[in-house]
Amino acid sequence: MFSRILVANRGEIALRIIRACRELGVQTVAVYSQEDAGSAHLQLADDSICIGPGAAGESYLNIPRIISAAEIADVQAIHPGYGFLAENAHFAEICRSCKIEFIGPSVESMSLLGDKVAARKLAKRAQVPVKQGSESAVSDEEAVKIALEIGYPVMIKASGGGGGRGMRQAHNEISLRAGLNAARAEAQAAFGCADLFIEKLIERARHVEVQVLADMQGKVIHLGERDCSLQRRHQKLVEETPSPVISEQTRAALARAAVRLLGKAKYFSAGTVEFLVDQKGDFSFLEVNTRIQVEHPVTEMATGVDLVKWQIRIAAGEPLSLEQDEIKAQGVAMECRINAEDPANDFRPCAGTIEEFRPPGGPGVRFDSHVYAGYRISPCYDSCIAKLIVHQPSRGEAITCMRRALEEFHIAPIKTTIPLLKQIFNHRDFIRGKVDTEFIERTW
Amino acid sequence: MSEQSKNHRKGQSMDVKEIKKLIDLMVKNDLRELEIRDGERRISLKRGVGELVPLVGAQTGEQEGNNSQQLAKAEKESSETQMESIVSPMVGTFYNAPNPESGPYVQVGETVTADTVVCIVEAMKVMNEIKAGVNGVVEKVLVASGEAVEFGQQMFIVRPT
């Protein structure tokens, strides 16, 4: 086991990693930007090092500064969290070449799965259903031809993209041509790669993903699925397990597909395979997230497995002591992401100091947050300030519990997405489990 | 009771309550500095990240006893606020000399210009020469050679000329 780990992230996930390390008896070194200098959770780390000004490019995304901090702090491993450098294969490579373990998968599997076109090809080889679409990056003319074959509507995707970014819909040839132009420019700017491919767009689909853990010895297990259909502009708002709409057969097939795919990729650490499930219950591969995800607590609550601790153990070379048939999901777990955004003003991010803060609690409630009364929300970073998770024996009880917890939760004067979440948890369609990825944009 | 000591006592109790109110005001409005002049009285408060450093202002002619210590501290700190600091632009290891055999780049009392190399910060095996960035006299060296420094950490205090 490592004696010292550097946490190359910020906010709630940095706190999550520090907590796991403290329980494992591992020392932590937190890096932070000047914007984050006042964060209380930094004091929970054994040491903290300022690595730059607020701008992510000069701090949390700055590889030389992070490696430099890792060297002077004499750590054996770096946990990248999610976002920032978590899926940067180049960073993983540099860490390992500096004899610092990167808590995540191998460079090879990260590179393979991070390339959306290569991942699609791997999925096909693993007999995982993929959406109809182009086999590789396409020119505009090829895209038009393929769209004609598979039929509109289609989705234009950036090969180097992910996390819901670099995507555009096209319902006909005119919007396809226009979309391709715009998408290429965006992709070049955002990912440094203008390669695009197209896929059939599945309308009113459900987003269902499978959590996987794999060790360096080749053991791959799944921990059930999460339904993340409630999204706004491709960013998830609410996640739950089990998925309320899929059949047992689909559930089992998704899990088997995920394990097969990551096994073929020689994957280790925590990873998630995302699928789209259409109204008929047929599923197709979306992408793989080669990192711990924001919504990991949903799976942790349902299965009782600490995913972050396992990431650390696996990275230290320990074999998975969990057996597939021992993993039993109990009850229903749900998570709400609480963002400092104003739903009444087109979800404009709200920065500033939190003056009043009374988080919810009680039976079946887990609250993951790095903020507190007096905390200053910086405009430099993403707006997620807390994750509210509930775990109850049934979906009805989970919804009631979440409603109760949302009502208890008081935060001022910062505007948050709590009012929208309350509406969602009182909405008939959501209560019936009849939602899809376009529900939020359709309804509000 | 003499006029002086009565004023002294009155001044003290007003200071504490007033200072507390001002501190609350500063925190609430996220202010860094606050200075209030009221006749001969002057209160100056400066707030660092997460800390409050109260400087009791000069009460001319009425400072006695333990107030004079605070006054001396205030004078020292207010003259320090005119100082410049040379901070590390990166994370790494501070070295005060080009190599173990040489003498240090600069010492206390030496004059530097903006282009004077004052130290090395080593990051990932690259020795980065750090320039003073200010003209003046080195007042203090805050880091020992071989010590780790973080981004923005003060390494030297320079009295600018």
Side-chain angles (χ1 to χ4, degrees):
Chain A
M1 178 45 72
F2 307 114
S3 57
R4 230 167 133 89
I5 286 177
L6 183 132
V7 181
N9 213 300
R10 61 174 302 282
E12 77 85 19
I13 193 62
L15 177 56
R16 175 73 188 89
I17 298 163
I18 292 170
R19 284 173 165 161
C21 288
R22 283 168 79 86
E23 289 180 13
L24 288 172
V26 176
Q27 289 201 329
T28 48
V29 178
V31 293
Y32 63 94
S33 71
Q34 287 179 321
E35 273 286 293
D36 282 333
S39 291
H41 76 271
L42 292 176
Q43 289 157 40
L44 289 176
D46 294 285
D47 202 356
S48 59
I49 299 175
C50 183
I51 54 169
E58 293 185 72
S59 50
Y60 302 104
L61 284 173
N62 192 304
I63 297 177
R65 288 189 176 166
I66 291 173
I67 299 289
S68 197
E71 286 184 338
I72 64 173
D74 197 26
V75 300
Q76 287 92 43
I78 293 181
H79 196 309
Y82 52 67
F84 293 128
L85 296 168
E87 286 173 295
N88 188 313
H90 178 55
F91 176 59
E93 195 165 21
I94 292 177
C95 287
R96 289 173 177 141
S97 68
C98 294
K99 303 280 185 285
I100 297 169
E101 190 50 57
F102 173 84
I103 297 176
S106 66
V107 173
E108 294 74 24
S109 57
M110 270 174 85
S111 306
L112 172 62
L113 297 166
D115 176 339
K116 301 306 163 198
V117 170
R120 217 180 104 93
K121 286 190 179 142
L122 181 71
K124 287 179 92 171
R125 285 209 313 272
Q127 273 115 47
V128 175
V130 300
K131 274 182 273 169
Q132 290 176 285
S134 59
E135 289 314 313
S136 53
V138 289
S139 66
D140 289 8
E141 286 315 313
E142 286 167 337
V144 171
K145 188 160 163 289
I146 292 171
L148 221 53
E149 282 169 13
I150 65 179
Y152 288 93
V154 298
M155 185 69 104
I156 304 168
K157 288 181 158 182
S159 199
R165 292 161 63 218
M167 298 178 15
R168 252 188 169 69
Q169 295 184 11
H171 285 75
N172 52 55
E173 190 176 315
I174 296 172
S175 56
L176 175 60
R177 288 190 185 275
L180 285 164
N181 274 334
R184 279 198 207 285
E186 264 176 37
Q188 183 62 49
F191 316 116
C193 171
D195 285 353
L196 304 176
F197 65 104
I198 61 165
E199 281 181 345
K200 179 113 184 91
L201 172 65
I202 297 174
E203 291 180 296
R204 295 194 162 229
R206 298 193 69 112
H207 175 121
V208 182
E209 59 189 35
V210 178
Q211 178 68 58
V212 173
L213 270 179
D215 61 21
M216 291 186 183
Q217 290 72 16
K219 185 169 181 181
V220 184
I221 61 170
H222 74 85
L223 292 101
E225 83 282 2
R226 291 184 292 259
D227 190 315
C228 311
S229 301
L230 268 163
Q231 301 178 9
R232 188 190 158 265
R233 299 201 184 155
H234 303 293
Q235 299 303 307
K236 298 166 185 169
L237 295 185
V238 178
E239 304 100 353
E240 61 179 295
T241 187
S243 172
V245 291
I246 60 176
S247 66
E248 278 311 307
Q249 288 100 300
T250 307
R251 175 166 292 118
L254 285 166
R256 282 197 307 268
V259 167
R260 228 167 31 240
L261 178 58
L262 292 190
K264 241 192 167 46
K266 297 207 178 22
Y267 195 84
F268 55 80
S269 192
T272 299
V273 186
E274 295 185 334
F275 300 93
L276 278 188
V277 183
D278 67 18
Q279 300 280 307
K280 295 203 311 275
D282 293 328
F283 65 88
S284 54
F285 170 72
L286 202 53
E287 64 183 30
V288 179
N289 297 322
T290 59
R291 62 176 191 267
I292 191 77
Q293 293 204 245
V294 175
E295 59 269 29
H296 74 271
V298 168
T299 300
E300 289 188 327
M301 295 301 274
T303 60
V305 174
D306 189 316
L307 293 169
V308 177
K309 277 189 192 165
W310 270 111
Q311 274 190 302
I312 298 169
R313 290 188 190 110
I314 288 166
E318 279 183 40
L320 266 173
S321 62
L322 307 163
E323 297 301 328
Q324 187 64 72
D325 52 19
E326 286 169 1
I327 309 286
K328 295 248 185 293
Q330 307 257 38
V332 173
M334 290 182 153
E335 173 185 275
C336 282
R337 295 195 196 188
I338 318 280
N339 293 335
E341 290 168 354
D342 188 356
N345 270 313
D346 200 36
F347 296 86
R348 189 174 49 85
C350 300
T353 303
I354 299 174
E355 285 170 21
E356 293 163 33
F357 191 74
R358 290 195 297 273
V365 175
R366 168 175 164 174
F367 188 74
D368 279 20
S369 174
H370 60 295
V371 311
Y372 41 86
Y375 179 87
R376 191 183 73 89
I377 300 174
S378 163
C380 291
Y381 310 114
D382 74 81
S383 55
C384 185
I385 53 165
K387 289 156 21 183
L388 173 55
I389 305 111
V390 303
H391 184 216
Q392 294 289 332
S394 69
R395 191 164 188 269
E397 286 164 288
I399 290 175
T400 307
C401 182
M402 184 66 88
R403 240 189 251 138
R404 187 270 292 164
L406 285 167
E407 275 154 28
E408 254 178 48
F409 192 175
H410 175 72
I411 176 168
I414 304 290
K415 296 268 186 290
T416 67
T417 48
I418 293 172
L420 171 63
L421 291 163
K422 284 180 184 171
Q423 290 184 335
I424 290 170
F425 275 80
N426 278 293
H427 199 287
R428 187 193 53 199
D429 289 349
F430 174 75
I431 293 168
R432 287 208 205 129
K434 288 188 179 333
V435 296
D436 55 72
T437 52
E438 291 146 44
F439 172 72
I440 299 278
E441 268 130 341
R442 232 175 22 238
T443 317
W444 280 279
Chain B
M1 194 173 295
S2 75
E3 191 61 26
Q4 265 190 332
S5 54
K6 203 160 65 166
N7 283 344
H8 172 87
R9 270 207 351 264
K10 183 177 170 198
Q12 279 236 292
S13 67
M14 268 180 70
D15 277 356
V16 171
K17 258 166 92 172
E18 198 170 308
I19 289 172
K20 185 163 189 328
K21 271 205 200 127
L22 293 173
I23 289 172
D24 287 347
L25 192 78
M26 289 182 81
V27 171
K28 196 170 165 152
N29 292 286
D30 201 21
L31 301 175
R32 281 284 117 124
E33 289 186 44
L34 183 68
E35 188 175 282
I36 294 179
R37 286 175 201 269
D38 180 14
E40 283 176 315
R41 295 191 64 235
R42 182 180 79 98
I43 292 177
S44 173
L45 293 166
K46 234 176 158 216
R47 186 167 158 250
V49 176
E51 287 180 46
L52 220 51
V53 180
L55 309 173
V56 176
Q59 291 180 295
T60 44
E62 289 180 294
Q63 289 303 306
E64 285 183 339
N66 46 19
N67 256 14
S68 64
Q69 265 189 345
Q70 289 178 346
L71 175 62
K73 182 167 182 256
E75 275 184 343
K76 178 168 180 270
E77 290 194 19
S78 74
S79 62
E80 250 184 29
T81 62
Q82 291 155 28
M83 299 286 190
E84 296 277 344
S85 53
I86 302 173
V87 304
S88 176
M90 59 188 72
V91 189
T93 309
F94 170 93
Y95 294 109
N96 67 359
N99 54 64
E101 287 83 46
S102 318
Y105 281 106
V106 291
Q107 290 184 350
V108 173
E110 263 183 61
T111 303
V112 295
T113 68
D115 286 327
T116 309
V117 173
V118 293
C119 67
I120 280 178
V121 175
E122 182 246 314
M124 290 178 73
K125 311 284 183 277
V126 175
M127 303 296 191
N128 304 283
E129 289 182 336
I130 311 297
K131 297 193 175 153
V134 60
N135 300 321
V137 176
V138 177
E139 282 274 322
K140 272 194 212 156
V141 182
L142 302 170
V143 196
S145 206
E147 228 181 275
V149 285
E150 54 183 16
F151 177 88
Q153 182 170 344
Q154 292 186 334
M155 302 185 295
F156 299 90
I157 304 285
V158 173
R159 181 192 295 280
T161 48

